[in-house]
Amino acid sequence: MFKKLPFILMTLTFVLVLAACGSKNDAGTDGAASNGAGETATELSGNILAVGSTALQPLVEQAGQKFMAVDEYKNVTVQVQGGGSGTGLTQVSDGQATIGNSDVFAEEKIDDAAKVSELKDHQVAVVAIAPVSNKDAGVQDLTKQQLIDIFSGKITNWKDVGGKDQAIVIVNRPSSSGTRATFENFALGTKVEDIQGSIQEDSSGTVKKLVAETPGAIGYLALSYLDDSLQVLKYEGVEATVENVEAGTYPVWAYEHMYTKGDPDAATKAFLDYILSDEIQQKDVTELGYIPVSGMKVKRDAAGTVTK
Amino acid sequence: MNNKLKSRRPLREKHYWEEWTGRIYTSICVVFLIVVMFSIVYFVASKGLSTFFQDGVSLSEFLSGKTWNPAGEPAAYGALPFITGSFITTFLAALIASPLSLCAALFMTEIVPGKGKKILQPAIELLSGIPSVVYGFIGLSVIVPLLRSIFGGAGVGIAAGCLVLSVMILPTVTSIMADALSALPKGLRESSYALGATRWQTIYRVIIPTVLPALLTGIVLGMARAFGEALAVQMVIGNAPHVPTSLLESASTLTSVITLSMGNTTMGSVHNNALWSMALVLLVMTFVFVILVRLLERRNRV
């Protein structure tokens, strides 16, 4: 009996320590939130944790660095993590993260309407996606129907769409990916199944490498990834340029969202406003290959309806 | 007599406390390990099983369904393509790596024990220090184009995956095999030589049969590593959710589909739970590998 005592004691201690860790974390987030709200506007402080979309991560990171360098906000800490849109939305909805970064509207990821209504959407940038092919495919322009036929496996050779006699290799994104959702919603207008033999990669870098090197490959990439190693395909004769996206003539684009649970506290609001300021929108957003939201002449809602 | 006891007491007390600090420290570590282990198993199991109990996906559909289409109407959660993909890549990787490892281990312990151990062993162990993303990138930049130029097609697929994996498990398999071989009693070899056997005869008639269970342990541990490897395989295997018809066709493994989709799905959704179920399958398979190793170790104690 006596021999077992340290063992039992330690078990107890550990359970307590673990429990304490759990509650401490919660307290940390809450404390930070109330801190930010309680302080006066001149002395903002608090911790902002932004989690989610890897596509949006570079922008938030860069903006976060600049934000913390501003004298007024030196007491605010901005932490940025990747993990994917789903993780971002889950964590902001559970209150673990201050901001949830997402490539898609929360409505598309979360089925629970009550949870969605708690979240507040802040659209900070626009990302346009262009279909790309291997340079030797011999095609420059594809129509919507041709793209549907290719991605659903009806057309399997480039010669059927006016290219070379070369089998088509599809380089896709996983079915849960936000980029794929954007491409399917606005370029194809329909969901497609993964066909046998198609390739799926999650990172844009790998997609680019595979499309550039594999004969007959087709894929899609955000504008920031496009260069001479790929053949950028026109969509219905429209080129994927910033001007065309802003004017609403090129339809394959989506907002980058930063969700907060309810209204953001003062520090978070300051950070979101900072990202939407001209300083970040005109410089960093464009530099990193996104399109500023301010320049958009069209708007789109969660259901996909576009208004001028 | 009385004096002696007095002088001893402080020392005994010191030993007593040393004993107790040691005991408490070990207990802390052991309890921590047990807590972590059980929490992981509990977490994976509760998440993975809720696919079947909460979301109503049938176990037979999950294990034998060939269609994986979580976004479809109706959604299909057949994980058979991933399960077969995992098994094929693992077995092929072990098939490629085992003979290489065995030769390397024999070279280090039997043929050139001095130099072999000094040069070859560190060289092979170096392989285990390379991050798996580097293996993936090498696979993508070297093996995939090579396969593409030899066999045509896209180059990504099970063949590329198992080639990358076989290099990754080489150090594990080789070091376990080499350890087993060098732990062999010297007398065994000497008596074989004394009977007039050549070195080759000694190796394949005496040494290999004696350490066979240990060699198999090495292979099984290598397979366990291959089964759980995610990143490198995900980059080169193609990840199409279909049972492949050839080694050069895009396929997926359990791990590759988990890493591909876990971050993009929200916690609690059926898609996410189905990914946890796959994690559970991986966990169960790891248990199987561990049991296999235990059985082999028991046979080893002859």
Side-chain angles (χ1 to χ4, degrees), chain A residues 14-237:
Chain A
F14 257 90
V15 170
L16 283 174
V17 166
L18 285 177
C21 282
S23 58
K24 198 183 143 203
N25 262 344
D26 289 346
T29 335
D30 288 348
S34 55
N35 237 355
E39 300 280 336
T40 49
T42 43
E43 271 297 313
L44 278 177
S45 69
N47 290 310
I48 301 173
L49 176 64
V51 181
S53 160
T54 43
L56 185 53
Q57 200 180 354
L59 174 64
V60 183
E61 257 166 17
Q62 195 164 319
Q65 294 297 329
K66 283 191 158 185
F67 180 76
M68 285 188 284
V70 177
D71 223 22
E72 201 182 331
Y73 308 124
K74 61 179 190 298
N75 291 329
V76 183
T77 324
V78 181
Q79 272 182 296
V80 186
Q81 284 172 17
S85 303
T87 309
L89 288 169
T90 310
Q91 295 214 355
V92 73
S93 174
D94 293 348
Q96 289 161 323
T98 336
I99 298 174
N101 297 335
S102 172
D103 305 332
V104 292
F105 281 96
E107 286 88 337
E108 295 174 56
K109 282 272 184 213
I110 305 178
D111 296 329
D112 191 347
K115 274 190 174 175
V116 175
S117 63
E118 282 178 354
L119 296 176
K120 196 154 186 252
D121 188 7
H122 309 268
Q123 296 160 354
V124 294
V126 165
V127 164
I129 292 156
V132 290
S133 78
N134 185 268
K135 283 206 135 180
D136 302 326
V139 174
Q140 270 111 44
D141 191 347
L142 286 176
T143 64
K144 181 178 179 179
Q145 192 55 46
Q146 283 172 330
L147 275 174
I148 295 174
D149 289 346
I150 288 173
F151 277 92
S152 61
K154 259 184 224 150
I155 292 177
T156 55
N157 196 305
W158 282 107
K159 69 172 187 233
D160 295 332
V161 288
K164 284 205 307 191
D165 184 7
Q166 169 83 55
I168 297 176
V169 178
I170 298 170
V171 184
N172 220 331
R173 289 301 185 86
S175 53
S176 52
S177 143
T179 309
R180 173 152 164 184
T182 306
F183 186 74
E184 285 181 341
N185 284 346
F186 305 115
L188 306 179
T190 168
K191 282 204 177 303
V192 286
E193 281 185 35
D194 299 299
I195 57 171
Q196 183 122 20
S198 69
I199 297 168
Q200 285 183 51
E201 293 292 344
D202 196 32
S203 108
S204 300
T206 316
V207 169
K208 182 177 168 183
K209 192 170 161 61
L210 278 171
V211 173
E213 290 174 1
T214 313
I218 186 170
Y220 44 89
L221 284 168
L223 290 196
S224 47
Y225 284 92
L226 304 182
D227 63 24
D228 290 344
S229 65
L230 307 154
Q231 171 71 54
V232 182
L233 301 169
K234 284 183 195 163
Y235 176 73
E236 295 275 351

Side-chain angles (χ1 to χ4, degrees), chain A residues 190 278 285:
Chain A
T190 168
D278 276 353
V285 168

Side-chain angles (χ1 to χ4, degrees), chain B residues 15-31:
Chain B
H15 281 317
Y16 181 78
W17 280 113
E18 269 178 2
E19 179 97 332
W20 272 88
T21 26
R23 207 180 266 182
I24 289 171
Y25 178 71
T26 343
S27 311
I28 291 177
C29 296
V30 168
V31 169

